[in-house]
Amino acid sequence: MRLSTAALSLASLLIILAVPTAGSAAVSASTVTSSGQLLSGSVATGQLGDIVLANDGIIVIIAAIGRTTEYSENGGTVIDAATTTARIDALGELYTYFDDDWPRQAVYTSLEIINDGSLGGPAIVRATGYDSGNAGQTVVTDYSLADGDHYLVLTTSITGSGATQPSFELGDAFQWGTCQKYAPGYGLDVSGTTTQAWLAGLASDVCYAYAGTSGDCWGPNGALWSDVSVTTANLVSGATSSYTRYFAVAPGEIAAATNILYEALGVATGTVNCAVTDIDGGAALASAAVDVFDGSGNPLLQMVADGAGQATANIPAGVWRLAASTAGYETAEQWLTVTAGNTDNLNFQLSSGGTTASAIGDTLTVIQRPLVNIPALLTPGQALEINCSADPATTGWQAEINYGNVTLPLSISAASYDPTTTWWTLYTVAPAVGLYELYDLRVTADGGLDDTTRNAVRVLEQLKNDYYFIHISDTHLPDHGFSDGGAVPADSTESVDLRAVIADINLINPEFVLITGDFVNEGELEDYLDWRSYTRAQRQLYEFETPTFLVAGNHDIGGWNDTPPPAGTARRNWWRFFGWPRLAAPPVGAPLHTQNYSFDYGPVHFVGL
């Protein structure tokens, strides 16, 4: 049927009126006929003639067929997405990615509205085309948005042609626009080839989260892009394989996006409400970050406190460590066992003293040994000496070891202060344990002293006569590039490489690991330029599931004339994170400026210089 000009004008008018405004419960799919339907943002590229999917929560724009974009070949891809409240886009583009072979993708030749949502939805837009690597293979993608959902559902079907193609990878490619990448297990350090449950893109006004419905997603990442596979299929000529993904759109916070994604995926979660306040006076700390880590120190997600200092996230069931931080304050941590369906409320009271914009790592305060970089190896009943830095008049010493939600108190038989070394020594023994694991050590004392060091005490079932240990050297974290040569913190090649090595080491499960120097590439880049090189390197130590001993190299404690921080900065950074602050002005009982130590494994004496 051919419409008259008058009828066409009326149809256009009705489409404009059907576009929902903020707060409307409607869901719609329509052609963009007015600039008022488009989104703002420096990377927003929507135009008249594109198609917009919208409901009361989110707006997604799909490029019209024939549109030239930087990455897709003929339109039909997601180019803009925002919340209806902010209407600010930060996404470059989302398009199909086939057989782990970029830029192989769907080339769409038609785009149509299958359901405009007027009958209650979902609104559905269908793109039809072919595989750019095999034109005989047809591809159909449905973009679906239901009323009330803050996520787009993408379902793509590909019909095989020619010879059977086993293990054909199916996924999507992202150009992240102005977003920072974030993924569980990696945090903001998403580079190289990664595997994760979901992938997110974080910007100031919007956050996106993406996952397939069949498990992990994987693939390579660059500074501004990710090529993600979510499943594989055996493509047989004439047979069709389909895969479905969820693309969540939320305000600019990881937790806001993952709350949506976990609900869409049906992940069993509990709700965690956090209050972050100043310990002096109780003022709410707006914009404080609360990071969630697993038992190995791997990041899961991040929530951000609102103006009242409140932060909320839906977190999968399990044991998690939560760390609250904000500029000008010391980080505070708590462990929590999350149960599906339950709600937990945590209060974080932060002490002033931090000085940088990014959360700093665990600098040394009370416990001086054992540490994550100088752990203790013990069998039950063996003597454990804990060295601490505290006022000579300190009383009420207590200690315990923790693994996840397992807490074992240590019986302190004596505590003595040596004025010649300026350290306390707490005398205790390794307890009987049900789990022979790598434990965190916590020490408390009167006057509010409370310090925890991660992965510091390994309780062994027995000492072996034949065993493996692994030696690593020159990791140069986060990358070999130098700050004065144009390198930036996002260059994290060596961090990615070490993470792969750590994964293998955790499978091998040696008795211990030795890292001999040049752990970081440029020891002055902790506070300078806010690189947090030592913080990031320390967090990678937490990923080891076996005791790890570390000694310094020239890159760790040396200096560079071309870097502005004053001489000695790198060395002082080492003392802050790995020991010991007293080396700056050695006491008479420990006169060396260098951190030398030793440990025993059975009859063998190991010395670190």
Side-chain angles (χ1 to χ4, degrees):
M1 167 177 157
R2 188 180 300 274
L3 293 174
S4 68
T5 303
L8 284 171
S9 299
L10 179 61
S12 300
L13 177 62
L14 290 174
I15 288 173
I16 293 171
L17 293 176
V19 176
T21 59
S24 169
V27 59
S28 67
S30 60
T31 301
V32 176
T33 58
S34 165
S35 60
Q37 296 170 262
L38 299 174
L39 303 177
S40 61
S42 61
V43 293
T45 56
Q47 298 178 8
L48 301 184
D50 293 338
I51 290 181
V52 58
L53 282 159
N55 62 14
D56 63 334
I58 69 172
I59 303 167
V60 177
I61 293 180
I62 300 169
I65 296 302
R67 278 283 311 274
T68 300
T69 67
E70 188 172 357
Y71 296 98
S72 67
E73 295 196 19
N74 200 41
T77 60
V78 175
I79 53 172
D80 295 334
T83 65
T84 55
T85 302
R87 298 185 66 89
I88 298 175
D89 166 67
L91 179 71
E93 191 165 2
L94 165 58
Y95 53 102
T96 51
Y97 172 63
F98 293 152
D99 206 25
D100 192 22
D101 183 21
W102 189 87
R104 188 170 181 178
Q105 60 184 276
V107 178
Y108 296 117
T109 55
S110 68
L111 186 67
E112 57 182 328
I113 298 172
I114 301 299
N115 186 336
D116 67 3
S118 59
L119 299 179
I124 301 172
V125 174
R126 177 169 296 166
T128 303
Y130 59 90
D131 173 8
S132 66
N134 181 349
Q137 296 189 153
T138 58
V139 180
V140 178
T141 296
D142 281 354
Y143 301 101
S144 176
L145 179 63
D147 185 12
D149 285 349
H150 290 202
Y151 58 90
L152 183 71
V153 181
L154 299 87
T155 300
T156 299
S157 300
I158 181 168
T159 302
S161 176
T164 298
Q165 301 157 81
S167 300
F168 190 89
E169 291 172 293
L170 300 167
D172 294 285
F174 287 85
Q175 206 292 325
W176 284 113
T178 58
C179 297
Q180 291 179 283
K181 301 183 297 298
Y182 188 103
Y186 305 91
L188 292 170
D189 186 18
V190 183
S191 56
T193 299
T194 61
T195 300
Q196 59 277 317
W198 47 264
L199 187 61
L202 175 65
S204 57
D205 298 292
V206 65
C207 184
Y208 310 109
Y210 166 95
T213 59
S214 56
D216 286 345
C217 53
W218 68 93
N221 303 272
L224 297 173
W225 56 269
S226 297
D227 295 340
V228 184
S229 297
V230 299
T231 191
T232 60
N234 292 325
L235 289 189
V236 178
S237 183
T240 300
S241 297
S242 299
Y243 64 108
T244 298
R245 299 84 76 204
Y246 297 122
F247 180 64
V249 184
E253 180 198 27
I254 297 295
T258 56
N259 289 348
I260 297 166
L261 196 63
Y262 284 144
E263 181 180 359
L265 292 168
V267 176
T269 63
T271 300
V272 179
N273 299 316
C274 301
V276 189
T277 58
D278 187 323
I279 197 170
D280 298 318
L285 296 178
S287 301
V290 181
D291 290 280
V292 182
F293 301 91
D294 66 16
S296 297
N298 301 310
L300 172 73
L301 57 83
Q302 182 186 80
M303 48 186 132
V304 178
D306 61 16
Q310 302 293 315
T312 298
N314 296 330
I315 301 176
V319 180
W320 306 98
R321 177 173 61 89
L322 285 77
S325 62
T326 193
Y329 288 82
E330 300 293 341
T331 299
E333 296 187 351
Q334 296 187 52
W335 283 89
L336 178 66
T337 300
V338 175
T339 303
N342 283 6
T343 297
D344 292 283
N345 300 301
L346 298 181
N347 293 314
F348 291 93
Q349 294 182 310
L350 274 56
S351 300
S352 61
T355 58
T356 59
S358 298
I360 196 170
D362 185 16
T363 54
L364 299 190
T365 53
V366 179
I367 302 171
Q368 304 296 305
R369 184 174 180 181
L371 300 167
V372 63
N373 53 294
I374 314 176
L377 304 176
L378 304 162
T379 56
Q382 266 194 299
L384 170 61
E385 293 185 2
I386 304 171
N387 298 125
C388 296
S389 177
D391 187 276
T394 301
T395 58
W397 289 103
Q398 297 184 59
E400 64 187 33
I401 57 174
N402 302 283
Y403 180 78
N405 59 354
V406 175
T407 297
L408 299 171
L410 301 177
S411 178
I412 299 175
S413 58
S416 64
Y417 179 77
D418 184 349
T420 70
T421 65
T422 69
W423 278 0
W424 281 87
T425 301
L426 313 183
Y427 298 91
T428 182
V429 297
V433 298
L435 294 171
Y436 295 100
E437 286 290 352
L438 186 57
Y439 287 80
D440 300 342
L441 171 65
R442 182 187 181 196
V443 169
T444 61
D446 294 343
L449 269 67
D450 191 338
D451 191 22
T452 298
T453 182
R454 301 278 307 282
N455 293 3
V457 178
R458 176 63 180 266
V459 184
L460 302 160
E461 185 173 10
Q462 62 182 1
L463 295 174
K464 299 176 181 177
N465 293 320
D466 297 312
Y467 59 89
Y468 292 100
F469 70 86
I470 289 178
H471 173 213
I472 301 172
S473 187
D474 294 270
T475 51
H476 289 275
L477 304 177
D479 186 70
H480 267 82
F482 289 92
S483 59
D484 66 319
V488 295
D491 293 335
S492 303
T493 303
E494 302 301 343
S495 296
V496 174
D497 288 349
L498 179 59
R499 181 165 286 117
V501 172
I502 291 171
D504 289 342
I505 289 173
N506 289 341
L507 288 174
I508 297 169
N509 192 28
E511 293 301 280
F512 52 86
V513 174
L514 305 179
I515 302 179
T516 52
D518 290 353
F519 190 45
V520 302
N521 190 56
E522 194 169 354
E524 294 165 324
L525 300 184
E526 176 61 26
D527 303 316
Y528 179 60
L529 300 180
D530 203 29
W531 272 39
R532 292 282 173 252
S533 292
Y534 267 95
T535 291
R536 295 162 67 187
Q538 183 188 60
R539 288 173 181 163
Q540 286 212 255
L541 281 186
Y542 299 155
E543 298 177 25
F544 286 95
E545 296 173 5
T546 193
T548 304
F549 295 88
L550 174 66
V551 295
N554 68 301
H555 280 250
D556 303 304
I557 60 176
W560 284 264
N561 291 334
D562 292 334
T563 307
T569 297
R571 190 176 299 268
R572 285 189 290 271
N573 283 336
W574 182 278
W575 297 338
R576 291 165 68 195
F577 287 90
F578 299 134
W580 297 292
R582 73 178 185 187
L583 295 175
V588 294
L592 298 181
H593 285 272
T594 55
Q595 185 190 51
N596 303 328
Y597 65 87
S598 63
F599 68 94
D600 295 325
Y601 187 97
V604 182
H605 189 63
F606 294 83
V607 179
L609 302 175

